[in-house]
Amino acid sequence: MRKQIAAANWKMNLTLEQGEQLLDGILSKPHSLKADQQAVFAVPFPYLLMAQQKLAGKQNVFVAAQNCYSKKNGAYTGEVSVEMLQSIGITYVVLGHSERREYFQESNRLLADKVNICIDYSITPIFCCGEPLEIREANTQNEYVAKQLEESLYHLSAEQLQKIVIAYEPIWAIGTGKTASSAQAQEMHAFIRTQLAGKYGAAIADTISILYGGSVKAANAVDIFSQADVDGGLVGGASLIVDEFVAIINALK
Ligand code: PEP
Protein backbone atom coordinates (compact mmCIF):
# COMPACT_ATOMS: atom_id res chain seq x y z
CA MET A 1 0.00 0.00 0.00
CA ARG A 2 1.45 3.36 -1.03
CA LYS A 3 1.67 6.20 1.49
CA GLN A 4 -0.99 8.86 1.00
CA ILE A 5 0.39 12.30 1.84
CA ALA A 6 -1.05 15.78 2.31
CA ALA A 7 1.97 18.08 2.16
CA ALA A 8 1.72 21.78 2.99
CA ASN A 9 4.13 24.14 1.25
CA TRP A 10 4.15 27.43 3.15
CA LYS A 11 6.69 28.90 0.68
CA MET A 12 8.05 32.28 1.89
CA ASN A 13 4.93 33.19 3.88
CA LEU A 14 3.96 33.90 7.49
CA THR A 15 5.74 35.35 10.52
CA LEU A 16 6.78 32.98 13.29
CA GLU A 17 3.68 33.88 15.29
CA GLN A 18 1.39 33.32 12.31
CA GLY A 19 3.06 29.97 11.63
CA GLU A 20 2.56 28.91 15.23
CA GLN A 21 -1.11 29.91 15.10
CA LEU A 22 -1.60 28.01 11.85
CA LEU A 23 -0.09 24.80 13.24
CA ASP A 24 -1.99 25.15 16.53
CA GLY A 25 -5.20 25.68 14.57
CA ILE A 26 -4.66 22.63 12.38
CA LEU A 27 -3.67 20.42 15.32
CA SER A 28 -6.73 21.51 17.31
CA LYS A 29 -9.15 20.23 14.64
CA PRO A 30 -10.18 16.60 14.34
CA HIS A 31 -8.40 14.81 11.55
CA SER A 32 -8.32 11.21 10.58
CA LEU A 33 -4.85 10.08 9.51
CA LYS A 34 -4.83 6.32 8.97
CA ALA A 35 -1.69 4.21 9.33
CA ASP A 36 -0.67 4.71 5.69
CA GLN A 37 -1.48 8.44 5.62
CA GLN A 38 0.74 11.37 6.52
CA ALA A 39 0.54 15.14 6.86
CA VAL A 40 3.80 16.95 6.07
CA PHE A 41 4.50 20.63 6.70
CA ALA A 42 7.19 22.24 4.54
CA VAL A 43 7.92 25.38 6.52
CA PRO A 44 10.57 28.09 6.05
CA PHE A 45 14.00 27.25 7.53
CA PRO A 46 13.69 29.55 10.59
CA TYR A 47 10.51 27.74 11.65
CA LEU A 48 11.71 24.15 11.34
CA LEU A 49 12.51 23.73 15.03
CA MET A 50 9.29 25.40 16.14
CA ALA A 51 7.31 23.06 13.90
CA GLN A 52 9.29 20.01 15.08
CA GLN A 53 8.50 20.92 18.68
CA LYS A 54 4.79 21.47 18.03
CA LEU A 55 4.44 18.19 16.13
CA ALA A 56 6.57 16.11 18.50
CA GLY A 57 4.80 12.91 19.52
CA LYS A 58 2.01 13.35 16.95
CA GLN A 59 1.36 10.27 14.83
CA ASN A 60 1.98 10.41 11.06
CA VAL A 61 2.79 14.13 11.02
CA PHE A 62 6.16 15.36 9.77
CA VAL A 63 8.10 18.56 9.12
CA ALA A 64 9.86 19.18 5.80
CA ALA A 65 12.40 21.71 4.60
CA GLN A 66 11.62 23.48 1.33
CA ASN A 67 15.13 23.09 -0.06
CA CYS A 68 18.67 22.03 0.82
CA TYR A 69 22.11 22.37 -0.73
CA SER A 70 23.85 19.68 -2.74
CA LYS A 71 27.11 19.68 -0.73
CA LYS A 72 27.81 18.10 2.63
CA ASN A 73 29.24 21.23 4.30
CA GLY A 74 31.78 23.99 3.70
CA ALA A 75 32.10 27.52 2.40
CA TYR A 76 28.62 27.97 0.92
CA THR A 77 27.38 31.06 2.72
CA GLY A 78 23.63 31.19 3.08
CA GLU A 79 22.99 27.56 2.20
CA VAL A 80 21.54 24.82 4.42
CA SER A 81 22.93 21.28 4.34
CA VAL A 82 21.11 17.97 4.78
CA GLU A 83 23.50 17.23 7.64
CA MET A 84 22.05 20.27 9.44
CA LEU A 85 18.50 19.17 8.66
CA GLN A 86 19.20 15.63 9.83
CA SER A 87 20.72 16.97 13.05
CA ILE A 88 17.37 18.54 13.99
CA GLY A 89 15.37 15.46 13.01
CA ILE A 90 13.98 16.54 9.63
CA THR A 91 12.98 13.59 7.43
CA TYR A 92 11.52 15.26 4.30
CA VAL A 93 12.83 17.91 1.89
CA VAL A 94 10.96 19.42 -1.06
CA LEU A 95 13.29 19.42 -4.08
CA GLY A 96 12.98 21.00 -7.50
CA HIS A 97 9.85 23.04 -6.88
CA SER A 98 9.13 24.98 -10.07
CA GLU A 99 9.79 28.25 -8.22
CA ARG A 100 13.30 27.02 -7.39
CA ARG A 101 13.79 25.88 -10.98
CA GLU A 102 12.58 29.22 -12.35
CA TYR A 103 13.97 31.82 -9.92
CA PHE A 104 17.13 30.02 -8.80
CA GLN A 105 17.99 28.20 -12.02
CA GLU A 106 17.90 24.74 -10.44
CA SER A 107 18.66 22.26 -13.21
CA ASN A 108 17.81 18.56 -13.48
CA ARG A 109 21.53 17.88 -13.00
CA LEU A 110 21.77 19.91 -9.76
CA LEU A 111 18.60 18.23 -8.52
CA ALA A 112 20.16 14.81 -9.12
CA ASP A 113 22.95 15.83 -6.73
CA LYS A 114 20.44 17.10 -4.17
CA VAL A 115 18.46 13.86 -4.43
CA ASN A 116 21.67 11.89 -3.85
CA ILE A 117 22.73 13.76 -0.75
CA CYS A 118 19.23 13.53 0.75
CA ILE A 119 19.25 9.77 0.27
CA ASP A 120 22.74 9.55 1.79
CA TYR A 121 21.34 11.21 4.91
CA SER A 122 18.08 9.23 5.01
CA ILE A 123 15.98 12.29 4.20
CA THR A 124 13.10 11.68 1.80
CA PRO A 125 13.03 14.06 -1.16
CA ILE A 126 9.62 15.19 -2.36
CA PHE A 127 10.82 15.56 -5.93
CA CYS A 128 8.76 18.05 -7.94
CA CYS A 129 8.30 17.83 -11.68
CA GLY A 130 5.83 19.36 -14.09
CA GLU A 131 5.49 21.33 -17.28
CA PRO A 132 4.93 25.01 -18.07
CA LEU A 133 1.84 26.19 -19.96
CA GLU A 134 3.48 26.39 -23.40
CA ILE A 135 4.54 22.75 -23.14
CA ARG A 136 1.01 21.68 -22.16
CA GLU A 137 -0.39 23.72 -25.05
CA ALA A 138 2.01 21.98 -27.43
CA ASN A 139 0.91 18.64 -25.93
CA THR A 140 4.52 17.64 -25.19
CA GLN A 141 4.10 17.41 -21.40
CA ASN A 142 4.88 13.68 -21.31
CA GLU A 143 8.27 14.12 -22.99
CA TYR A 144 9.03 17.12 -20.74
CA VAL A 145 8.26 15.29 -17.49
CA ALA A 146 9.97 12.10 -18.67
CA LYS A 147 13.18 14.11 -19.19
CA GLN A 148 12.96 15.61 -15.69
CA LEU A 149 12.61 12.11 -14.22
CA GLU A 150 15.36 10.67 -16.36
CA GLU A 151 17.92 13.39 -15.63
CA SER A 152 17.30 13.67 -11.88
CA LEU A 153 16.21 10.19 -10.77
CA TYR A 154 17.18 7.40 -13.14
CA HIS A 155 20.73 7.07 -11.84
CA LEU A 156 19.20 5.74 -8.59
CA SER A 157 19.05 2.07 -7.75
CA ALA A 158 15.59 0.54 -7.25
CA GLU A 159 16.19 0.56 -3.51
CA GLN A 160 17.08 4.26 -3.58
CA LEU A 161 14.14 5.16 -5.81
CA GLN A 162 11.79 3.73 -3.19
CA LYS A 163 13.01 6.43 -0.80
CA ILE A 164 11.59 9.17 -3.06
CA VAL A 165 8.19 10.81 -3.17
CA ILE A 166 7.28 12.44 -6.49
CA ALA A 167 5.06 15.51 -6.79
CA TYR A 168 3.61 16.26 -10.21
CA GLU A 169 2.95 19.98 -10.33
CA PRO A 170 1.91 21.45 -13.68
CA ILE A 171 3.33 24.97 -13.48
CA TRP A 172 0.25 26.48 -15.13
CA ALA A 173 -1.81 25.26 -12.16
CA ILE A 174 0.42 26.50 -9.33
CA GLY A 175 -0.99 29.50 -7.47
CA THR A 176 -3.21 30.31 -10.45
CA GLY A 177 -6.49 28.87 -9.20
CA LYS A 178 -6.45 26.79 -12.41
CA THR A 179 -6.43 23.15 -11.30
CA ALA A 180 -5.68 20.31 -13.66
CA SER A 181 -8.84 18.25 -13.99
CA SER A 182 -8.77 15.02 -12.03
CA ALA A 183 -8.59 13.22 -15.39
CA GLN A 184 -5.55 15.28 -16.44
CA ALA A 185 -3.88 14.58 -13.09
CA GLN A 186 -4.60 10.85 -13.34
CA GLU A 187 -3.33 10.73 -16.92
CA MET A 188 0.05 12.24 -16.01
CA HIS A 189 0.38 10.26 -12.78
CA ALA A 190 -0.28 7.03 -14.68
CA PHE A 191 2.27 8.13 -17.29
CA ILE A 192 4.88 8.78 -14.57
CA ARG A 193 4.19 5.39 -13.00
CA THR A 194 4.48 3.68 -16.38
CA GLN A 195 7.81 5.42 -16.97
CA LEU A 196 9.07 4.27 -13.57
CA ALA A 197 7.81 0.75 -14.32
CA GLY A 198 9.70 0.76 -17.64
CA LYS A 199 12.92 1.59 -15.82
CA TYR A 200 12.50 -0.22 -12.47
CA GLY A 201 9.66 -2.71 -12.99
CA ALA A 202 5.98 -2.47 -12.11
CA ALA A 203 6.36 -3.80 -8.56
CA ILE A 204 8.77 -0.98 -7.64
CA ALA A 205 6.75 1.69 -9.51
CA ASP A 206 3.67 0.64 -7.57
CA THR A 207 5.32 1.54 -4.27
CA ILE A 208 6.13 5.16 -5.19
CA SER A 209 3.79 7.85 -3.85
CA ILE A 210 2.98 10.45 -6.52
CA LEU A 211 1.38 13.64 -5.19
CA TYR A 212 -0.52 16.17 -7.28
CA GLY A 213 0.17 19.89 -6.79
CA GLY A 214 -1.52 22.90 -8.36
CA SER A 215 -4.37 24.83 -6.73
CA VAL A 216 -5.54 21.91 -4.59
CA LYS A 217 -8.17 23.09 -2.14
CA ALA A 218 -10.88 21.62 0.08
CA ALA A 219 -13.39 21.85 -2.77
CA ASN A 220 -11.41 19.71 -5.25
CA ALA A 221 -9.20 17.50 -3.04
CA VAL A 222 -11.60 14.53 -2.75
CA ASP A 223 -12.05 14.38 -6.52
CA ILE A 224 -8.32 14.64 -7.29
CA PHE A 225 -7.17 12.29 -4.51
CA SER A 226 -9.72 9.67 -5.54
CA GLN A 227 -7.82 9.02 -8.78
CA ALA A 228 -6.06 5.66 -8.83
CA ASP A 229 -2.51 6.99 -9.29
CA VAL A 230 -2.84 10.14 -7.17
CA ASP A 231 -1.48 9.56 -3.68
CA GLY A 232 -2.26 12.92 -2.12
CA GLY A 233 -1.19 16.49 -2.76
CA LEU A 234 1.44 19.17 -2.38
CA VAL A 235 -0.52 22.25 -1.42
CA GLY A 236 0.53 25.91 -1.42
CA GLY A 237 -2.13 28.59 -0.91
CA ALA A 238 -4.77 26.39 0.73
CA SER A 239 -2.24 25.06 3.25
CA LEU A 240 -2.15 28.51 4.88
CA ILE A 241 -5.81 28.29 5.93
CA VAL A 242 -6.65 26.03 8.87
CA ASP A 243 -10.03 24.70 7.70
CA GLU A 244 -8.84 24.25 4.11
CA PHE A 245 -5.80 22.20 5.03
CA VAL A 246 -7.66 20.09 7.60
CA ALA A 247 -10.25 19.27 4.92
CA ILE A 248 -7.43 18.38 2.50
CA ILE A 249 -5.87 16.02 5.07
CA ASN A 250 -9.28 14.43 5.57
CA ALA A 251 -9.68 14.04 1.80
CA LEU A 252 -6.82 11.51 1.61
CA LYS A 253 -8.18 8.19 0.47
C1 PEP B 1 2.87 24.58 -4.49
O1 PEP B 1 3.32 25.49 -3.86
O2 PEP B 1 3.54 23.58 -4.67
C2 PEP B 1 1.50 24.70 -5.01
C3 PEP B 1 0.99 23.69 -5.66
O3 PEP B 1 0.85 25.87 -4.78
P1 PEP B 1 -0.74 26.13 -4.93
O4 PEP B 1 -1.42 25.03 -4.17
O5 PEP B 1 -0.97 27.47 -4.30
O6 PEP B 1 -1.07 26.10 -6.37
Side-chain angles (χ1 to χ4, degrees):
M1 188 69 181
R2 291 191 292 271
K3 263 183 303 195
Q4 306 291 308
I5 300 173
N9 177 14
W10 289 7
K11 312 193 188 199
M12 197 177 74
N13 290 303
L14 308 177
T15 62
L16 177 62
E17 197 183 340
Q18 289 167 336
E20 288 177 313
Q21 284 169 0
L22 178 57
L23 279 181
D24 286 340
I26 291 168
L27 294 174
S28 73
K29 302 269 175 172
H31 56 263
S32 53
L33 284 170
K34 301 188 198 117
D36 61 341
Q37 296 178 340
Q38 297 185 352
V40 175
F41 294 87
V43 307
F45 287 129
Y47 309 160
L48 286 171
L49 274 176
M50 173 280 285
Q52 286 280 76
Q53 280 156 9
K54 283 212 182 285
L55 302 181
K58 305 265 185 288
Q59 290 292 306
N60 300 345
V61 182
F62 299 90
V63 180
Q66 296 176 13
N67 182 29
C68 66
Y69 197 46
S70 55
K71 305 280 187 209
K72 188 169 176 230
N73 54 31
Y76 302 103
T77 303
E79 291 296 329
V80 173
S81 72
V82 284
E83 191 173 57
M84 293 170 187
L85 297 174
Q86 189 196 48
S87 74
I88 61 166
I90 298 296
T91 52
Y92 278 105
V93 177
V94 177
L95 288 184
H97 192 281
S98 59
E99 289 148 17
R100 301 250 11 127
R101 292 175 186 265
E102 181 179 354
Y103 304 133
F104 303 96
Q105 287 74 49
E106 295 203 359
S107 64
N108 292 341
R109 175 69 239 152
L110 173 72
L111 291 167
D113 290 342
K114 291 190 176 192
V115 165
N116 289 345
I117 198 156
C118 284
I119 289 174
D120 285 349
Y121 281 83
S122 303
I123 291 180
T124 301
I126 300 176
F127 176 80
C128 302
C129 57
E131 78 287 354
L133 184 60
E134 62 273 19
I135 295 290
R136 171 64 63 163
E137 284 174 347
N139 200 27
T140 52
Q141 64 274 10
N142 287 1
E143 293 81 348
Y144 189 93
V145 170
K147 187 167 190 285
Q148 290 179 318
L149 300 176
E150 184 182 339
E151 294 186 357
S152 297
L153 300 184
Y154 286 179
H155 61 286
L156 299 174
S157 68
E159 194 193 334
Q160 289 172 324
L161 185 84
Q162 289 179 282
K163 297 182 175 147
I164 305 265
V165 169
I166 293 176
Y168 167 60
E169 299 207 305
I171 300 172
W172 46 273
I174 298 179
T176 58
K178 221 191 255 180
T179 320
S181 68
S182 50
Q184 282 174 317
Q186 168 57 23
E187 199 180 357
M188 178 55 87
H189 283 228
F191 172 76
I192 291 172
R193 207 175 299 288
T194 305
Q195 292 292 111
L196 297 177
K199 173 79 184 158
Y200 294 95
I204 300 286
D206 260 355
T207 66
I208 308 292
S209 299
I210 308 177
L211 316 185
Y212 168 78
S215 299
V216 172
K217 43 189 181 283
N220 59 25
V222 171
D223 183 30
I224 294 172
F225 295 174
S226 69
Q227 300 300 307
D229 287 288
V230 177
D231 305 308
L234 178 56
V235 186
S239 75
L240 302 175
I241 303 163
V242 171
D243 289 340
E244 281 284 312
F245 196 63
V246 171
I248 290 166
I249 293 174
N250 289 334
L252 289 172
K253 63 175 175 267

